[in-house]
Amino acid sequence: MAEKRKVCVLGATGVGKTSLVARFARSIFSESYLTTIGVTIETRRVRCDDRELDLLLWDLSGEDEFQDVQISYVRGAAGLLLVIDGTRRFTVETGLRLHAAARATAGELPSVVALNKADLTAAWEIDEAAEARLRRAGLLVTRTSAKTGAGVEGAFSALARAMLGSDAPLWRG
Ligand code: GDP
Ligand code: MG
């Protein structure tokens, strides 16, 4: 049996949380914008060094995305994937606020940022100063495109690696 780890995917509405999870768990991408209310959980097994991990990917959706992270959602998480839309600068602020709320509840969890929509280079709004700010907040910054798949494996692997190296909780749910 592979070990299980719960990962919460955080970020403003429309940054690509659901798309990244779908790309990573099911290798699909859709242009259609479906906002569902609630939490969707997808799983994927990853190999990290000599260990296998089942990642339980919790994707929060709907109105709550803009509110502070609900305690019940981040409880038991071993890692956080913070998604920022590289074409909308304000999603850095939203992301950092959500991340702070998650940490206040769940503690100092390994956290990786996905600067998503990296395929849309002409509309890119994130500069080096914004990236430096994210790193100062203790975040490992990666670039992803759920559309092309670029960087997606790398972002989740980096998080898996960070979780294995930490004493964050094992999921026993
Ligand atoms: P969520 O609200 O954070 O779950 O965002 P969604 O996954 O629903 O994505 C919002 C919109 O952005 C959808 O129309 C997606 O097709 C689009 N989208 C998500 N990721 C990417 C990406 O990497 N590149 C591009 N071009 N569009 C994306
Ligand atoms: Mg969504």
Side-chain angles (χ1 to χ4, degrees), residues 64-102:
D64 288 349
E65 288 174 299
F66 276 116
Q67 293 166 15
D68 283 351
V69 177
Q70 306 285 313
I71 287 172
S72 56
Y73 172 65
V74 292
R75 186 180 293 139
L80 302 172
L81 184 76
L82 177 59
V83 184
I84 286 168
D85 182 341
T87 70
R88 291 184 297 152
R89 200 192 321 255
F90 81 89
T91 65
V92 172
E93 295 307 321
T94 314
L96 283 171
R97 187 171 58 71
L98 289 169
H99 187 246

Side-chain angles (χ1 to χ4, degrees), residues 17-19 34-36 59-62 65:
K17 297 180 299 296
T18 301
S19 301
L34 268 186
T35 303
T36 44
D59 173 24
L60 186 68
S61 52
E65 288 174 299

Side-chain angles (χ1 to χ4, degrees), residues 11-20 29-35 59-61 65 83 85 116-120 144-148:
T13 295
V15 292
K17 297 180 299 296
T18 301
S19 301
L20 280 172
F29 179 78
S30 162
E31 297 281 353
S32 67
Y33 194 122
L34 268 186
T35 303
D59 173 24
L60 186 68
S61 52
E65 288 174 299
V83 184
D85 182 341
N116 191 42
K117 310 197 186 178
D119 56 290
L120 301 176
T144 59
S145 168
K147 182 168 186 173
T148 68

Side-chain angles (χ1 to χ4, degrees), residues 78-81 99 103 107-112 138 159 162-164 166 168:
L80 302 172
L81 184 76
H99 187 246
R103 279 192 161 174
E108 296 288 312
L109 298 178
S111 304
V112 169
L159 186 56
M163 290 189 299
L164 283 173
S166 84

Side-chain angles (χ1 to χ4, degrees), residues 1 47 55 58-59 108 129 133 136-137 139-140 159 172:
M1 278 283 280
R47 192 162 244 305
L55 301 185
W58 287 48
D59 173 24
E108 296 288 312
R133 218 175 131 213
R136 276 199 304 277
L139 294 153
L140 181 68
L159 186 56
R172 301 188 192 281

